[in-house]
Structure formats: structure tokens, C-alpha cells
Amino acid sequence: MSVKIFVMTHKQFEVPDNPMYIPLHVGHKNAKNNYGYLGDDTGDNISELNGYYAELSGVYWVWKNYKDAENVGICHYRRYLTDEEGYAFTQTEYEQILSEYDIITTKLLELPGSYRDGFRAHHNVNTLDETGRVILELFPEYYDTFIRLVHQNRTYFGNIMVAKKELYDMYCEWLFTIFFCLQKRIDLSFTDDYHRRVFGFISEFLLYVWVTTNQYRAFECRVAVIGEKKETHEVTAKMATFFEKKDAVGAKAYFEEILKQRPDILMEASDINGECKLCLQAVSTANLELVAYGSCFLDHMESYEQIIKYFRGLNSIALAAVRAVVTEKEQNNAAKTAYIQTIEEKSCGGITEHIVLDVTEIAVRAAIRLYAPNQDCADKAFAHCKQLLKI
């Protein structure tokens, strides 16, 4: 047996030192840069449609053009399948798993609501519904499962999988038959690159439908996210520049524009260390303070690192206060002391105790709103923090 895993990328990255992994530059036909990787624009390909299909243009290329391995897989330049300890599988381990299972893929993602509701919150839900109608027409044996699962709250993600090439090809035949029909029946005009990747998003869920309908034995495993997206680093670096200039207004305008271009910037897969969320919180707090007081925390902070530490610490206090309210436990003196220690240890970062304890009501309320389930809980949590932080 042999295993080859294609690493989908549109950027230069540190290629794993293992011949099992093959970098595949997706969207290569229209790419501005050439990194020397294998491109998805040779042979039978849909490279020019990468804007709509995302990593699926690479999935298609492997289906149509690669015949040299008994088992093939797909991962991303930042996402790799791993065991429970976080170690990437070896070829021997992949072979062993595939001797017992039909497919290796991600653990099911648990959503806060149904898949359809989640899709509707971020995309045009008519596209998802039309997908169901296409399935009913072309593959009616999958339709009941599609309807059942679309109203439940689970899905695979990332189009990450490893399987025997024969099974992989069967999946691709099914998937792209659906999408090439769907492509002719939906509006393909989008305002940004994120929403344009519509087929890439829907395919994550369709893999779940395909596996479930066929009752394939799926080995579901962890996904390790390696490194931060380059675009995310660019955003935080730009925010650091605004903070150093104490330009809260400019920072707000910049971040609002970024959110229009990249609504996924705050998602965990992009913001793996949470700094983009903290930047947004800092920007919002600074501008609210400016309106209310004519000054803001930026007058006391000297660096981006200081600001990030400050808001991490403030959030830990807010979360502790909310938990105390939710569990209906009164804070005793020991708990109050622990809160103060948390501020000093996690959020000071060189800030004097005076500045930390002089945090504004606006900053505290904004932090509490991140965690409080309702306004009553927020008010009670603020009362705790107000006493602790002397505001």
C-alpha cells in the first residue's frame, strides 16, 4: 500500500519533511506568484474556478490526474490530521487505519444550532436549499439524509480526508456532478472573496451526507492547526501601528473595512490566538471611552503587547465574575483577592497597579458583555467587578 497526501495551498509555506506530503498550489492558473509547487492547472482541471471552489479545485485535480498511489488524501498547508496526542500520522499508521476503516477525516464539528441555520447566518441559504433540490433530482437516495442532517447541528470541516483512491474518486464523481449542476442554477455574483467560495463551504457538509448515507466506516480524528494565517498577522501588525499612534478612530475604520473584506477574520481557524478578537474589543472600548471621557486607555498604554495582555486579563476578570453570578455563589474575600491577583499576573505586563485599578466602567462592561448570557447577569457581574476594581 502507498499513501500520498496533497497539501492544498495558495501561499508559500514550510513543507513537511516527509515525501508522503505533496504541496499542490490551488488556483494556480490565475495566481500572481509561483512558489515552485505542483499546480492544479494541468491536465483536466478547474483551476480557473478556484475562487468559487477553494481547495476543491485541488480535490478535482487529484481525482482526474493522479493515479500513482493506492490511497490519497487532502489536507491544508496549516491543517493536518493527527492522533489524540497531536502527532501527525505516519504512512504506516494511515495504512493500518485504512485496513479497518473506509475513510479518515475530521471529528464532527458541533454547531450551536442546525447546519442550515448556521449557513443562513453567513451565506445565502437559498443556495443550500437548491443543493438539496439538485440532490433530489440526481441522487434521490441521498435526499432524506441531506434533509435530516441539514436540520441537525453537526458537520465535517475543511474538506480534509484520506481514503483509497477508488473510494476518493467515487466521492468526487458524486460531489462534482452535484456542483456542476448547481453552478448553473445559482447566482455567482458575490461582493467578496469569502462568500465566493460557496462550493468549498457546502462540500464540507456534503462529505458528512455522503459518509452517512453510505454508512462508511469513518475514522474521525483531530486536526492540528499549524501557525497563524499570513493575512491575520498582517491585520494585527496594522492594528499595532494604529495603537502606537494612539489612533483609535483610524483603527476602527480599518477594522471595519477588514471585516467587510474578510468576515472570517474572527473565526477560530483564522484567529488561532484570539488576538484579532482582542483588537476588535480594544478598538470598540477605546472609541467608546473617547466619546464618554474625551480620552481612552491608549493614553496609558505604550505597546501592542501591553494592550493584548491588558484585555486578556480584563476578560479573565469579567469571565470569573459572570461565572460567579451564574453559579449563584457569593464572592468571599479569598475570591476577591484571587481576582486582583489575576489582574496583576495576567494583565499588567508592565502597567502600573494604579492604571490597572483605574480601568473604566466602559471597559469592564464591554468585557462582561462577551460572557454574560443576559443583561441581568451582566449587571450583577459588573457590581462584583466594580467593587474589586474600585471604579
Side-chain angles (χ1 to χ4, degrees), residues 254-269:
Y254 169 76
F255 210 99
E256 288 176 345
E257 186 60 31
I258 287 296
L259 286 174
K260 292 178 182 178
Q261 298 173 9
R262 290 193 55 208
D264 62 323
I265 192 69
L266 298 177
M267 295 181 181
E268 184 177 352

Side-chain angles (χ1 to χ4, degrees), residues 89-101:
F89 295 114
T90 65
Q91 175 165 307
T92 300
E93 289 171 327
Y94 273 122
E95 290 174 351
Q96 177 59 41
I97 296 170
L98 288 174
S99 70
E100 302 175 23
Y101 292 84

Side-chain angles (χ1 to χ4, degrees), residues 149-168:
L149 297 184
V150 83
H151 292 292
Q152 295 181 5
N153 68 329
R154 298 191 297 176
T155 183
Y156 292 131
F157 65 95
N159 291 308
I160 301 173
M161 61 180 290
V162 182
K164 290 181 173 59
K165 183 61 162 63
E166 181 180 3
L167 192 65
Y168 176 92

Side-chain angles (χ1 to χ4, degrees), residues 111-120 149-154:
L111 308 173
S114 73
Y115 180 84
R116 187 177 185 276
D117 287 344
F119 191 92
R120 178 171 53 191
L149 297 184
V150 83
H151 292 292
Q152 295 181 5
N153 68 329
R154 298 191 297 176

